[in-house]
Amino acid sequence: MAQDQSNSRAIAASIITNLVRGQGSLTNLLDRQRQRDDYSFLQELCFGTCRQYYLLLGLFSALVKKPLKSKDLDLQSLVLLGLYQLRELATADHAAVNETVSAVNSLGKPWARGLVNGVLRNYQRQRDELEAQLSADARHAHPPWLARRLQQQWPEQAAQILAHGNARPPMTLRTNTARITRSELQAELAAAGNEAIPGKLADTSLYLTRPAVVTGLPGFSAGEFSVQDEASQLVAPLLQLAPGQRVLDACAAPGGKTCHILESEQSLAELVALDESPQRLARVTDNLQRLGLQASMVDADARDTAAWWDGRPFDRILLDAPCSATGVIRRHPDIKLLRQEADIARLTELQRQLLESLW
């Protein structure tokens, strides 16, 4: 039976299932749903369930004694979504249960209505007891292998790192100082009812006190700012840019640092934005166009210099190499589902190859 594309909970369950199976990311799976009227709710379900996935899985295991078949992984995902709603959202409990149970039909598995209803009702009745019995691994809400590594390597900071990994990220803006000052942007936002607080490290950063739909903020379409974490805003100044330089941004997508480089120094001889993914490179182009900036776009593997380099040297090279991404896990909670312990050695080797090739 084909899936009902009108039910947001069923769609969210399918997205979570794809992530568990290593098929796609939250970014590309949700991109297909952006035109939905209930997109914000769908996004909250997916991000929140990923953020708390291992904790919710601990509750699920306590409630469902007989494991589901692999073909019914979408039902497990749906139950986790239901548990997330009961634990974290303001949705009335009866509505969360009823709507989650209804989504079973949209998944084409009406026979499971009783199962989903029973699990969620049992959680409601036994909530305090179940929460108290959660294992330490489940409470961390991180992959056990990652929590273990953090505890081994950062014993004094591990608890804080894990807590931050479970927190909602702030919405941080990068001021395009080629068009507006930070204080001017702050005032413009405030006039529209969006309070923003300057960051402490990057002189371009502003933190919104309440998240907002970025396209609805004043100045976004005019290219006065972009969304970018404050730590990332520290990168462009470290390059010590100057007029006439030729700059390479390797692994450039989605283009936040590319654009910041061009905003910071408008008299570069050339900026080459390199990425091996045409789809991701298109996002760089989109960002450049909104900001009215230009770069030379190259679709290639940075390691294969013979295939893309013209032999002219670069004055600056920025390599934002693929990594574990655990440092941005609160921004991209699907990392908890996608990243595996075996990936670390593979990524380390990839970083070595990139560094050697570009050097």
Side-chain angles (χ1 to χ4, degrees), residues 31 67 77 129 194 231 237:
D31 270 350
S77 299
E129 179 183 351
N194 300 283

Side-chain angles (χ1 to χ4, degrees), residues 102-262:
S102 296
V104 169
N105 291 338
S106 298
L107 291 176
K109 299 181 178 180
W111 56 266
R113 288 178 63 92
L115 169 67
V116 174
N117 183 68
V119 172
L120 297 181
R121 298 291 184 191
N122 284 336
Y123 173 74
Q124 286 181 289
R125 287 190 287 267
Q126 306 170 40
R127 182 183 309 223
D128 292 343
E129 179 183 351
L130 289 165
E131 296 279 348
Q133 291 175 354
L134 280 171
S135 68
D137 278 348
R139 291 181 193 281
H140 292 320
H142 279 67
W145 69 265
L146 178 56
R148 184 181 67 253
R149 283 200 170 201
L150 289 170
Q151 290 161 343
Q152 290 171 348
Q153 298 176 17
W154 302 90
E156 296 181 5
Q157 297 87 4
Q160 184 181 21
I161 294 171
L162 291 166
H164 277 292
N166 294 329
R168 292 174 180 268
M171 187 167 178
T172 315
L173 309 182
R174 184 191 75 238
T175 310
N176 181 358
T177 53
R179 297 194 177 186
I180 193 171
T181 67
R182 180 167 69 173
S183 59
E184 289 171 342
L185 177 60
Q186 184 181 15
E188 187 175 280
L189 291 167
N194 300 283
E195 182 185 7
I197 300 171
K200 297 180 179 179
L201 300 174
D203 59 13
T204 49
S205 62
L206 282 171
Y207 287 80
L208 291 183
T209 56
R210 293 192 315 275
V213 178
V214 67
T215 53
L217 293 173
F220 178 74
S221 59
E224 293 178 355
F225 67 87
S226 299
V227 176
Q228 188 179 44
D229 283 340
E230 186 173 12
S232 295
Q233 296 182 39
L234 298 173
V235 173
L238 291 174
L239 293 172
Q240 299 180 345
L241 300 166
Q245 290 177 340
R246 188 174 193 233
V247 178
L248 169 66
D249 185 0
C251 307
K257 298 181 183 71
T258 304
C259 294
H260 194 194
I261 289 170
L262 292 167

Side-chain angles (χ1 to χ4, degrees), residues 24-57:
S25 67
L26 269 183
T27 298
N28 59 39
L29 293 171
L30 279 170
D31 270 350
R32 305 168 191 172
Q33 308 293 337
R34 284 191 180 276
Q35 302 308 312
R36 295 179 61 91
D37 292 337
D38 60 355
Y39 177 77
S40 294
F41 178 65
L42 176 63
Q43 184 183 44
E44 171 63 30
L45 285 179
C46 293
F47 272 74
T49 300
C50 285
R51 190 175 294 116
Q52 298 293 330
Y53 182 82
Y54 286 93
L55 186 153
L56 299 171
L57 193 61

Side-chain angles (χ1 to χ4, degrees), residues 55-119:
L55 186 153
L56 299 171
L57 193 61
L59 293 171
F60 179 87
S61 298
L63 287 160
V64 181
K65 303 303 181 182
K66 184 178 179 181
L68 296 177
K69 297 178 181 178
S70 59
K71 66 178 182 178
D72 295 322
L73 183 58
D74 54 351
L75 288 177
Q76 175 179 296
S77 299
L78 183 63
V79 173
L80 298 188
L81 289 163
L83 292 171
Y84 174 70
Q85 294 168 74
L86 292 173
R87 293 184 84 252
E88 303 290 344
L89 298 189
T91 309
D93 283 4
H94 70 275
V97 173
N98 291 341
E99 293 300 322
T100 303
V101 172
S102 296
V104 169
N105 291 338
S106 298
L107 291 176
K109 299 181 178 180
W111 56 266
R113 288 178 63 92
L115 169 67
V116 174
N117 183 68
V119 172

Side-chain angles (χ1 to χ4, degrees), residues 191-331:
N194 300 283
E195 182 185 7
I197 300 171
K200 297 180 179 179
L201 300 174
D203 59 13
T204 49
S205 62
L206 282 171
Y207 287 80
L208 291 183
T209 56
R210 293 192 315 275
V213 178
V214 67
T215 53
L217 293 173
F220 178 74
S221 59
E224 293 178 355
F225 67 87
S226 299
V227 176
Q228 188 179 44
D229 283 340
E230 186 173 12
S232 295
Q233 296 182 39
L234 298 173
V235 173
L238 291 174
L239 293 172
Q240 299 180 345
L241 300 166
Q245 290 177 340
R246 188 174 193 233
V247 178
L248 169 66
D249 185 0
C251 307
K257 298 181 183 71
T258 304
C259 294
H260 194 194
I261 289 170
L262 292 167
E263 292 169 0
S264 301
E265 178 49 70
Q266 299 170 65
S267 299
L268 295 176
E270 183 184 25
L271 188 147
V272 176
L274 172 70
D275 203 277
E276 67 173 346
S277 167
Q279 293 78 17
R280 285 171 53 80
L281 208 56
R283 295 183 63 194
V284 181
T285 300
D286 291 342
N287 285 319
L288 289 168
Q289 289 176 346
R290 181 179 65 84
L291 295 164
L293 302 170
Q294 290 187 333
S296 301
M297 312 297 287
V298 177
D299 170 15
D301 184 338
R303 295 171 294 180
D304 187 10
T305 53
W308 62 266
W309 185 40
D310 60 9
R312 291 187 294 144
F314 292 96
D315 300 290
R316 299 287 186 271
I317 297 176
L318 170 61
L319 172 60
D320 190 357
C323 65
S324 68
T326 52
V328 292
I329 208 164
R330 65 177 181 173
R331 180 78 57 199

